[in-house]
Amino acid sequence: MSGTAATLIVILLAVGLIAAFYTARTYRVGWVQGIGLLKLRTLFRLELPEGKLAGSDETNGPVIHVYSRQSGLDVAVLWSVLDRQCLHLLHADDRRSLTLFGMRLFARTGADDYNQALEAALASGASVTVPFPPDIEPSQETLENYADLARLARKHRARLNAFHVGGAVFSLWSARPPAEAPRKFLPRLRLAQSGLLDLCDPTPPANGATAARDQDRIHDLLALARFNSNDFSRGLFLAFRDAADRYGRSDPVLEDALGGKLTYKRLLVGARALGARFEKISQPGEALGVLLPNANAVMVTFLAIQSAGRVAAMLNYTAGPAAILSALSTAKIKSVLVSRAFIEKAGLEPLVEAITGAGVTIVWLEDLRESITFLEKASAFINWRRPLRPVNAADPAVILFTSGSEGTPKGVVLSHKNLHANAAQAEARIDISPKDKLFNVLPVFHSFGLTGGAILPLLFGVRLFFYPSPLHYRIIPAVAREVRPTILFGTDTFLAGYARTAKDTDFESLRLIVAGAEAVRDETRRVYHQRFGAAILEGFGMTEVAPVAAVNSASHGKDGTVGRLLPAMALRLEPVEGISTGGRLFVSGPNVMLGYMRASAPGVLEPLADGWHDSGDIVEIDGNGFIAIRGRAKRFAKIAGEMVSLGAIELLVQKLWPEAQHAAVAVEDTRKGERIVLVTTKMPALREELRSYSRRFGAADLMVPGEIINVEEIPVLGSGKTDYVSAQKIVDEWVSSHQAGGKAD
């Protein structure tokens, strides 16, 4: 070796040692840990949490750091940043790993069971790291291990903290099979933490669980750390770019019923090319109307709008001209993006005429795409990794319009962070992976269809199949037989319709269904379990929270509830006159909207005053935090001074007549204040039969409808929810024509 080469090596070693000592001093760790941390930050671009690590000051006792072991890198990351006296319990693979041999020489390590070393460490005041399986939904054995660890924490007055090493699952040392986590040579790592939890602190958790099991609190801690490992600091375009890097740019991830297939790269190239045209027809921050069905083009258009720094205003083409024109005015929309093929096939020419008649410009996407030049396409191909215009994660990304099921629709303004956060919250609770394929029939103008059915799968590597309408009850099962999805999103109404026409083999590929918007009937749950082997996970949400607020999971589920609050959210209940148990639900969290736009003040954002959103729902919460919806505050009738839930009446009627559809509404009554009228497809629907049934179950006579109206169909919105405005009109017209007070059996 020449003298020059030797000198260069000495200089490089000296620089490395100096950098390692500087790193150790900066992060207050030992010099050997500093070397390890420097390697991780250099090779894997490791990002650390802002501020101090939880438990770095051990003057208040030991801390048990739990983590879902994503790979063999996890313990190396934790060893490099935690106190040198911390005991690291090792997974069996990590005890044998040659990669971790150097770390084991300097770290305090032990086996991954609860032995005397763990007890001794806690008794001496030393902190401990404990690995658990990487599964998002823990097994019963894992839950029992959580409970064992909680007992030790209480015994030694130790606090708990959860870590998650984001990106480690994609490394060469991943704990997941390649089909679930594509391998990357040097993936970017991001360490996140949950914050400290003292199980002896009587303060109830933010999810309202007044008597939460210790094992559930540890489970929630791990979910929160996983959620925190996501980077919410950038816009959605860059979040999709990051997904392309993680899950692969070249394999198809998006399909539609027209036969089109898109990879992440083609999706982003197309979005950047189209976005350049949107820049020319609008101003930064302007809302562009989107009037498109579930197809690949709607996702390209949505991301093109995000790339251009504009706001996507998703329009409900099933709502009719009056509602569309109201939305255009509310959001001050000057241009609407449409597809000529869609308009012709759906017969929406009168809607287009109404839009143009209101002075709003129709932009035909086919014409826009044809006008893109070769040079513009080449530029988009070269620069596909960058948006056309930088945005802040707190900037508005989308405007969705409330369903109007109970009144005039409002514009709900959601930021890039709102949408990204809600997708990450759901991913932290429900186990999904690139092995899955999601069949989305819910329209993207609805928040469930947009976030759950489009943004969530594509941000987390799940293949997505778009179908244009949820109302094709006979066609959808046949398409599912060919597509073979593993996940389906839907509402009870839609799911029941598919089951009636499906063959037993049509949905045999499904493993889970996430249902929302309305209560899932026992019959629907039974049919999908027995015929198709698929579990239905019921959730709850609203457009204002982007939309999911709570969901059941395979490991944490309770029939009759909509599950538990998602990570990073908080709730509170406010008392309601006439309601003895439960209260009116308020929620807060990173997924809660920026605010409303109202028709009375077009284009003006009305922000939330204190970060809390009034859901308008009356709920009950059990000791473990499971939320049971008792009804909308607006959907309670006051009868002779008693508050009666119209939703509870519908559930009662549904149990008696499960094959029919029902809607309960209230009308004025001169003697009792209000009375209840049932609109139903059951023929004949006998009031005495309903009264007898309700008494067998101990229901009060007040819950028996005063009148019953037979209809061929219950009116529904495009989202699948019951259209109570239309139902109320049916009742009002019937009552008026029958001289209010008559009875119909």
Side-chain angles (χ1 to χ4, degrees):
M1 182 182 295
S2 67
T4 302
T7 301
L8 182 60
I9 291 174
V10 170
I11 292 173
L12 290 175
L13 287 174
V15 170
L17 287 172
I18 292 171
F21 276 109
Y22 177 77
T23 300
R25 184 180 180 86
T26 301
Y27 294 99
R28 299 180 180 179
V29 295
W31 69 271
V32 178
Q33 291 170 283
I35 294 174
L37 183 56
L38 180 63
K39 291 180 179 178
L40 290 167
R41 288 180 65 82
T42 302
L43 295 176
F44 296 97
R45 295 156 291 169
L46 172 65
E47 297 179 47
L48 299 177
E50 294 182 3
K52 295 174 62 175
L53 290 176
S56 57
D57 179 5
E58 297 187 353
T59 57
N60 293 322
V63 177
I64 301 175
H65 300 285
V66 295
Y67 63 99
S68 296
R69 181 182 174 275
Q70 304 298 301
S71 82
L73 289 174
D74 292 29
V75 69
V77 171
L78 296 182
W79 166 73
S80 70
V81 298
L82 292 174
D83 184 89
R84 72 187 72 182
Q85 296 305 313
C86 183
L87 173 68
H88 297 276
L89 301 185
L90 298 182
H91 185 273
D93 291 344
D94 294 340
R95 291 199 299 271
R96 296 188 295 265
S97 172
L98 292 177
T99 305
L100 298 176
F101 177 76
M103 185 210 79
R104 296 199 303 271
L105 292 177
F106 296 95
R108 293 184 62 199
T109 62
D112 62 345
D113 55 3
Y114 310 130
N115 53 21
Q116 292 182 349
L118 175 56
E119 287 265 13
L122 294 175
S124 68
S127 293
V128 185
T129 68
V130 182
F132 286 103
D135 308 302
I136 292 172
E137 300 189 40
S139 65
Q140 187 58 42
E141 180 184 1
T142 300
L143 287 171
E144 291 171 359
N145 289 337
Y146 291 168
D148 291 340
L149 190 64
R151 283 192 287 271
L152 284 175
R154 288 184 180 274
K155 177 180 178 180
H156 295 281
R157 299 287 302 187
R159 294 166 296 165
L160 289 156
N161 174 57
F163 279 114
H164 188 84
V165 185
V169 73
F170 304 108
S171 71
L172 301 179
W173 303 273
S174 176
R176 292 276 196 177
E180 297 179 9
R183 299 299 190 258
K184 305 296 177 186
F185 182 58
L186 294 173
R188 182 187 293 272
L189 302 183
R190 183 182 178 88
L191 179 64
Q193 59 186 350
S194 64
L196 291 171
L197 168 65
D198 184 351
L199 292 174
C200 297
D201 184 350
T203 304
N207 65 1
T210 54
R213 300 182 303 175
D214 288 343
Q215 62 196 51
D216 292 338
R217 299 192 72 179
I218 293 177
H219 169 65
D220 290 344
L221 215 62
L222 288 163
L224 179 58
R226 183 183 187 93
F227 167 78
N228 288 338
S229 70
N230 290 272
D231 183 1
F232 304 118
S233 64
R234 296 179 291 179
L236 283 174
F237 187 92
L238 288 176
F240 273 75
R241 191 275 313 275
D242 292 343
D245 290 342
R246 284 192 299 268
Y247 300 107
R249 311 168 188 174
S250 304
D251 294 327
V253 293
L254 179 60
E255 303 176 55
D256 62 19
L258 299 174
K261 296 184 179 182
L262 291 178
T263 65
Y264 277 112
K265 186 172 181 179
R266 285 190 62 191
L267 174 63
L268 293 171
V269 169
R272 203 176 191 282
L274 198 58
R277 288 306 168 112
F278 294 163
E279 277 193 315
K280 296 179 179 179
I281 64 172
S282 59
Q283 298 299 314
E286 180 180 329
L288 294 175
V290 179
L291 193 72
L292 295 170
N294 279 17
N296 292 350
V298 76
M299 209 62 215
V300 175
T301 302
F302 178 81
L303 283 177
I305 292 172
Q306 308 310 322
S307 175
R310 275 57 173 172
V311 181
M314 313 303 288
L315 301 175
N316 179 356
Y317 47 81
T318 70
I324 293 287
L325 295 181
S326 174
L328 296 177
S329 172
T330 297
K332 297 190 73 172
I333 297 169
K334 301 175 183 177
S335 301
V336 176
L337 311 174
V338 298
S339 161
R340 185 175 283 106
F342 169 60
I343 294 299
E344 293 174 355
K345 188 171 184 179
L348 294 176
E349 291 87 353
L351 178 58
V352 171
E353 291 177 7
I355 292 172
T356 55
V360 176
T361 302
I362 290 290
V363 178
W364 300 104
L365 290 178
E366 290 92 342
D367 297 343
L368 212 60
R369 282 196 295 266
E370 290 177 4
S371 69
I372 298 174
T373 67
F374 174 78
L375 289 178
E376 289 173 324
K377 293 178 181 178
S379 175
F381 184 83
I382 294 170
N383 299 295
W384 70 274
R385 296 180 58 81
R386 295 181 297 166
L388 290 158
R389 184 181 183 86
V391 297
N392 189 298
D395 290 342
V398 68
I399 301 173
L400 296 168
F401 296 90
T402 57
S403 62
S405 60
E406 297 165 359
T408 304
K410 300 182 290 290
V412 175
V413 183
L414 298 167
S415 69
H416 294 259
K417 182 178 180 180
N418 290 153
L419 296 166
H420 191 176
N422 197 228
Q425 287 168 320
E427 191 271 342
R429 277 285 173 79
I430 299 176
D431 198 359
I432 58 175
S433 78
K435 285 175 56 178
D436 287 309
K437 177 182 282 190
L438 172 63
F439 193 138
N440 182 22
V441 300
L442 298 179
V444 291
F445 59 69
H446 183 254
S447 55
F448 193 12
L450 178 63
T451 304
I455 294 174
L456 167 64
L458 292 177
L459 283 184
F460 293 97
V462 175
R463 291 166 294 159
L464 173 61
F465 183 90
F466 269 139
Y467 190 80
S469 172
L471 300 176
H472 298 167
Y473 293 117
R474 294 186 178 278
I475 301 174
I476 285 172
V479 175
R481 184 173 64 247
E482 299 298 322
V483 173
R484 298 194 62 78
T486 59
I487 304 172
L488 175 67
F489 283 1
T491 68
D492 182 82
T493 299
F494 294 150
L495 295 174
Y498 307 149
R500 283 195 293 269
T501 62
K503 299 177 182 177
D504 289 347
T505 57
D506 287 349
F507 291 123
E508 64 179 359
S509 61
L510 288 177
R511 67 177 183 88
L512 69 87
I513 300 166
V514 181
E518 58 184 344
V520 177
R521 294 173 296 166
D522 293 340
E523 176 67 12
T524 307
R525 202 184 304 274
R526 182 192 64 79
V527 165
Y528 275 86
H529 176 69
Q530 293 183 358
R531 288 187 60 196
F532 310 120
I536 296 181
L537 305 180
E538 189 170 357
F540 160 68
M542 60 208 90
T543 306
E544 292 85 350
V545 300
V548 188
V551 69
N552 283 288
S553 68
S555 63
H556 288 75
K558 183 178 179 180
D559 287 349
T561 77
V562 293
R564 300 159 71 241
L565 202 66
L566 292 181
M569 294 191 73
L571 63 77
R572 74 170 193 261
L573 298 184
E574 291 195 356
V576 177
E577 180 185 359
I579 304 295
S580 57
T581 59
R584 190 171 181 129
L585 176 67
F586 287 72
V587 293
S588 67
N591 54 317
V592 175
M593 66 174 179
L594 296 177
Y596 285 123
M597 283 184 180
R598 300 182 187 271
S600 56
V604 178
L605 177 65
E606 178 187 299
L608 290 177
D610 56 2
W612 287 87
H613 171 63
D614 176 5
S615 72
D617 289 293
I618 308 299
V619 308
E620 292 181 25
I621 303 175
D622 72 7
N624 287 320
F626 285 96
I627 301 171
I629 308 297
R630 296 306 177 218
R632 295 285 295 167
K634 293 180 180 179
R635 299 207 66 240
F636 275 77
K638 195 166 188 178
I639 303 175
E642 296 287 334
M643 298 294 286
V644 179
S645 169
L646 300 177
I649 292 170
E650 290 171 352
L651 290 175
L652 176 69
V653 178
Q654 198 71 61
K655 288 181 179 179
L656 173 60
W657 299 315
E659 298 300 323
Q661 303 295 319
H662 319 279
V665 300
V667 295
E668 290 185 5
D669 185 274
T670 55
R671 292 187 301 110
K672 296 183 178 181
E674 288 183 301
R675 71 180 185 278
I676 299 163
V677 179
L678 178 70
V679 183
T680 178
T681 59
K682 169 67 175 177
M683 295 185 186
L686 303 180
R687 187 167 178 270
E688 287 308 314
E689 181 183 357
L690 179 54
R691 184 192 298 278
S692 175
Y693 181 82
S694 66
R695 286 175 175 173
R696 290 205 305 271
F697 285 87
D701 282 347
L702 290 176
M703 295 185 66
V704 179
E707 287 87 27
I708 297 178
I709 301 174
N710 291 122
V711 295
E712 292 186 1
E713 291 183 348
I714 296 293
V716 296
L717 300 164
S719 62
K721 292 183 179 180
T722 299
D723 183 352
Y724 287 107
V725 172
S726 296
Q728 187 74 55
K729 290 179 180 178
I730 292 173
V731 171
D732 290 343
E733 291 173 1
W734 187 94
V735 170
S736 177
S737 64
H738 287 72
Q739 298 178 351
K743 295 183 180 181
D745 286 339

